[in-house]
C-alpha cells in the first residue's frame, strides 16, 4: 500500500491550475497535499486536509472519485488519472492518530447539535475547535448517521466511525445517544437551558414509495431500512431491487454477502444514478441488471414489470403487452428517501417545504432566529462530501451569529 501511494503521488504534475481541485466539491488542496507528502511532511499534509474536511478519511473511501477529483485529473485524458483517493486515505489515516485538540479556550457558549451524521459531526468539530461547548443529540445508539446506517461495512468500516466518536469525546464534545429531540426534549427546552444556537442535521430516513399495489406485502422492503440492519432480514435466495442509485448497489452487494443467491437490479433508464465504480463492483459481485423497466405491482411471487420504450429524446413510454412477472423471494425499493415526520421539523417558527425539507438561506439559517440546518434535511439525499462542504459555511454563520449576541 505505501509503495503504491508513493508511486501515485510521484505521478502528480503539480499543475498551476489544478483541475482535480475544481472537480472536488470541498476543494481539497490536492497538489499541495501531495507535495507536502512527497517532501516528508505527511503530518502537515494531514493537518491541511483535515482542516479542510473533517471527514477526509471517510470521503477518501466513499466519494465518487471518478466523477470528481480523479475524473478531472489531466493525466486521465490520455491515460490513467492519479489515484488521489488512495493518497488522501493514507495521509488522513496517518494524521488521525496524531490529531490533538490542543488547549482551546472555552467561550462559555453552548451549542446543540441535533443529529450525528456528516453535517452534525462537521459542525460539532469546527465549533468545538473555536471554543464552544457542544452537545450532540443522536436519536440512534451510535454516531455516524447515513455513514453508519446507510453505507455497508465493506465500503466504510465502522471502526472508522468508532474512532471518530472517541475523538469527539477527547475534544470535550458531549454526546447524548438514543435521544430524539421532539419527543421528551424540545428545541424550546434547549433554548431554555442556555443553548445559544441549535443546528439541525437529522438527515432523511423516510423511504420514498412507488405507490403501487403490493407495496405493503411481507416480501417488500425499503433500501434505507434494510441497510440500517441487514442482519434482521430474511430475504430468501433471490431479490429484485427497484432503483439504480448507490443505495441500490449497496443493497445488492450486501444481500449477496448475507446469503442471497441471485440479485437483479431494475432501472427505468439505461444509465444509472450510481457511480460507475459502484456499478462495476456490483457486476463483478454477480448482480444482474435490466433496464427500461417499470414496476407496476408487487406480488407474493416477485414483482410485475412493464418494458419501457424510449423515443430518443428521453421520454419513456410503457409498451403494452410486455407486462411480466419477475420472480423473487423479496423485493427491495431503492428510490431515495426524504425527511421523517419529526417534531423537530414542526418546531414553532421553523418553515418546512412541501416535501418536508427545511427552508434555509444560503448560510443555513432557518426561519427561526438561532436555529440552523444543513445536510440532507435541507438539500435532500446528497453525498457525504457535499454535506461537509455546505456545513463548513453553516458553522461560520453560526459562529458569527453567536458572536453578535455579545
Amino acid at each position: 500500500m505505501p509503495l503504491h501511494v508513493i508511486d501515485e503521488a510521484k505521478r502528480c504534475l503539480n499543475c498551476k491550475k489544478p483541475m482535480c481541485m475544481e472537480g472536488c466539491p470541498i476543494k481539497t488542496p490536492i497538489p499541495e497535499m501531495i507535495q507536502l507528502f512527497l517532501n516528508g511532511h505527511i503530518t502537515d499534509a494531514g493537518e491541511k486536509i483535515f482542516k479542510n474536511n473533517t471527514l477526509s478519511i471517510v470521503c477518501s473511501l466513499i466519494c465518487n472519485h471518478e466523477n470528481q477529483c480523479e475524473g478531472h485529473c489531466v493525466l486521465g485524458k490520455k491515460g490513467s488519472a492519479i489515484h488521489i483517493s488512495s493518497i488522501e486515505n493514507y495521509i488522513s489515516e496517518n494524521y488521525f492518530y496524531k490529531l490533538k485538540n490542543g488547549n482551546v479556550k472555552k467561550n462559555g457558549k453552548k451549542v446543540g447539535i441535533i443529529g450525528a451524521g456528516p453535517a452534525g459531526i462537521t459542525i460539532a468539530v469546527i465549533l468545538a475547535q473555536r471554543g464552544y461547548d457542544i452537545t450532540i443529540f443522536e436519536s440512534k445508539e451510535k454516531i455516524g448517521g447515513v455513514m453508519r446506517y446507510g453505507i455497508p461495512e465493506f465500503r466504510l468500516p465502522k471502526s472508522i466511525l468508532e474512532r471518530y466518536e472517541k475523538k469527539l469525546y477527547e475534544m470535550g464534545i458531549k454526546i447524548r445517544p438514543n435521544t430524539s429531540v421532539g419527543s421528551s426534549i424540545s428545541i424550546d427546552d434547549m433554548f431554555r437551558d442556555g443553548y445559544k444556537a441549535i443546528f439541525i442535521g437529522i438527515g432523511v430516513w423516510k423511504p420514498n414509495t412507488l405507490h403501487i399495489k403490493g407495496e405493503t406485502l411481507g416480501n417488500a422492503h425499503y433500501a434505507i431500512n434494510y441497510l440500517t440492519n441487514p442482519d434482521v432480514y430474511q430475504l430468501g435466495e433471490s431479490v429484485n431491487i427497484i432503483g439504480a442509485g448507490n443505495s441500490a448497489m449497496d443493497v445488492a452487494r450486501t444481500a449477496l454477502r448475507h446469503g442471497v443467491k441471485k440479485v437483479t437490479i431494475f432501472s427505468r433508464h439505461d444509465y444509472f444514478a450510481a457511480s460507475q465504480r459502484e456499478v462495476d463492483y456490483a457486476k463483478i459481485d454477480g448482480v444482474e441488471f435490466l433496464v427500461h423497466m417499470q414496476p407496476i405491482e408487487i406480488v407474493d411471487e416477485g414483482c410485475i414489470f412493464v418494458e419501457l420504450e424510449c423515443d430518443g429524446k428521453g421520454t419513456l413510454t410503457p409498451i403494452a403487452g410486455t407486462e411480466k412477472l419477475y420472480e423473487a423471494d423479496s423485493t427491495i425499493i431503492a428510490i431515495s428517501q426524504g425527511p421523517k415526520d419529526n417534531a423537530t421539523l414542526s418546531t414553532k417558527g421553523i418553515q418546512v417545504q412541501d416535501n418536508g425539507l427545511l427552508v434555509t438561506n444560503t448560510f443555513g439559517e432557518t426561519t427561526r432566529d438561532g436555529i440552523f440546518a444543513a445536510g440532507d434535511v435541507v438539500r435532500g439525499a446528497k453525498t457525504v462530501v457535499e454535506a461537509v462542504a455546505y456545513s463548513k459555511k453553516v458553522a461560520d454563520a453560526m459562529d458569527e451569529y453567536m458572536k453578535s449576541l455579545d
Side-chain angles (χ1 to χ4, degrees), residues 28-161:
T28 298
I30 296 166
E32 189 175 1
M33 169 191 79
I34 291 176
Q35 294 310 308
L36 285 169
F37 170 64
L38 289 175
N39 291 324
H41 304 296
I42 189 172
T43 300
D44 292 337
E47 182 178 11
K48 183 167 290 291
I49 59 178
F50 189 86
K51 186 176 181 180
N52 179 67
N53 180 1
T54 301
L55 296 175
S56 60
I57 300 178
V58 173
C59 292
S60 69
L61 293 174
I62 67 171
C63 267
N64 187 356
H65 302 104
E66 66 268 31
N67 286 344
Q68 296 173 355
C69 56
E70 294 171 12
H72 285 71
C73 175
V74 294
L75 292 178
K77 293 182 178 180
K78 294 184 178 180
S80 176
I82 294 172
H83 211 267
I84 298 167
S85 54
S86 294
I87 301 171
E88 181 181 7
N89 181 259
Y90 186 80
I91 295 171
S92 298
E93 283 277 0
N94 177 277
Y95 180 73
F96 198 80
Y97 288 104
K98 305 173 184 176
L99 178 64
K100 302 294 182 183
N101 191 37
N103 296 317
V104 177
K105 185 179 179 180
K106 294 291 185 180
N107 59 27
K109 295 179 180 178
K110 295 183 182 296
V111 177
I113 307 290
I114 304 173
I121 291 175
T122 299
I123 299 280
V125 170
I126 292 174
L127 293 183
Q129 291 173 330
R130 298 180 186 180
Y132 292 94
D133 182 1
I134 309 294
T135 299
I136 297 175
F137 299 81
E138 171 54 49
S139 62
K140 299 184 184 295
E141 64 181 37
K142 290 284 189 178
I143 72 160
V146 70
M147 296 183 293
R148 179 181 293 276
Y149 299 104
I151 300 176
E153 173 77 17
F154 57 82
R155 280 223 294 141
L156 178 61
K158 301 302 182 282
S159 60
I160 292 176
L161 300 175

Side-chain angles (χ1 to χ4, degrees), residues 11 34 43 118 138 165 180 192 228 235 289 310 355 390:
R11 294 176 57 222
I34 291 176
T43 300
E138 171 54 49
E165 183 168 340
S180 181
R192 176 203 64 196
T228 296
L235 299 180
F289 289 79
C310 183
N355 59 7
Y390 183 48

Side-chain angles (χ1 to χ4, degrees), residues 252-323:
R253 299 177 66 200
T254 300
L256 289 169
R257 284 162 172 77
H258 281 73
V260 174
K261 304 299 182 185
K262 180 184 178 183
V263 175
T264 306
I265 285 178
F266 294 81
S267 173
R268 285 178 52 84
H269 303 280
D270 56 4
Y271 56 87
F272 308 124
S275 69
Q276 187 59 49
R277 185 172 297 173
E278 293 307 314
V279 173
D280 290 343
Y281 272 121
K283 289 179 178 179
I284 288 173
D285 283 353
V287 178
E288 298 179 14
F289 289 79
L290 291 176
V291 301
H292 289 164
M293 305 291 285
Q294 177 175 303
I296 56 177
E297 182 180 353
I298 298 172
V299 296
D300 290 328
E301 297 77 23
C303 187
I304 300 172
F305 290 86
V306 63
E307 295 180 21
L308 300 173
E309 182 178 36
C310 183
D311 64 358
K313 299 179 181 179
T315 301
L316 298 171
T317 306
I319 303 174
T322 61
E323 297 83 356

Side-chain angles (χ1 to χ4, degrees), residues 358-373:
L358 289 179
V359 174
T360 69
N361 63 12
T362 55
F363 302 104
E365 296 174 308
T366 69
T367 50
R368 179 169 171 178
D369 202 33
I371 301 178
F372 298 76

Side-chain angles (χ1 to χ4, degrees), residues 157-381:
K158 301 302 182 282
S159 60
I160 292 176
L161 300 175
E162 298 296 339
R163 287 158 55 193
Y164 266 98
E165 183 168 340
K166 182 180 178 181
K167 193 65 66 175
L168 294 178
Y169 280 120
E170 289 176 358
M171 296 178 71
I173 295 170
K174 305 176 186 72
I175 302 174
R176 292 187 59 166
N178 297 318
T179 304
S180 181
V181 175
S183 52
S184 56
I185 295 174
S186 70
I187 286 180
D188 290 323
D189 292 335
M190 295 168 68
F191 279 125
R192 176 203 64 196
D193 291 343
Y195 290 88
K196 299 302 181 183
I198 293 168
F199 172 77
I200 300 175
I202 57 176
V204 287
W205 297 95
K206 182 180 180 181
N208 289 340
T209 60
L210 292 167
H211 302 292
I212 62 174
K213 186 177 179 181
E215 210 162 347
T216 67
L217 297 181
N219 60 334
H221 310 284
Y222 295 106
I224 192 63
N225 296 339
Y226 174 70
L227 290 172
T228 296
N229 189 359
D231 291 333
V232 303
Y233 286 79
Q234 299 294 325
L235 299 180
E237 294 193 351
S238 57
V239 174
N240 287 338
I241 298 175
I242 300 170
N246 280 333
S247 288
M249 306 305 150
D250 286 342
V251 168
R253 299 177 66 200
T254 300
L256 289 169
R257 284 162 172 77
H258 281 73
V260 174
K261 304 299 182 185
K262 180 184 178 183
V263 175
T264 306
I265 285 178
F266 294 81
S267 173
R268 285 178 52 84
H269 303 280
D270 56 4
Y271 56 87
F272 308 124
S275 69
Q276 187 59 49
R277 185 172 297 173
E278 293 307 314
V279 173
D280 290 343
Y281 272 121
K283 289 179 178 179
I284 288 173
D285 283 353
V287 178
E288 298 179 14
F289 289 79
L290 291 176
V291 301
H292 289 164
M293 305 291 285
Q294 177 175 303
I296 56 177
E297 182 180 353
I298 298 172
V299 296
D300 290 328
E301 297 77 23
C303 187
I304 300 172
F305 290 86
V306 63
E307 295 180 21
L308 300 173
E309 182 178 36
C310 183
D311 64 358
K313 299 179 181 179
T315 301
L316 298 171
T317 306
I319 303 174
T322 61
E323 297 83 356
K324 179 182 175 182
L325 169 65
Y326 290 81
E327 295 184 356
D329 296 318
S330 297
T331 297
I332 298 183
I333 301 160
I335 55 170
S336 195
Q337 57 272 348
K340 273 190 174 181
D341 295 329
N342 188 291
T344 302
L345 304 182
S346 58
T347 297
K348 184 178 179 181
I350 298 179
Q351 186 177 346
V352 180
Q353 301 179 52
D354 291 341
N355 59 7
L357 299 177
L358 289 179
V359 174
T360 69
N361 63 12
T362 55
F363 302 104
E365 296 174 308
T366 69
T367 50
R368 179 169 171 178
D369 202 33
I371 301 178
F372 298 76
D376 292 353
V377 75
V378 173
R379 296 186 165 188

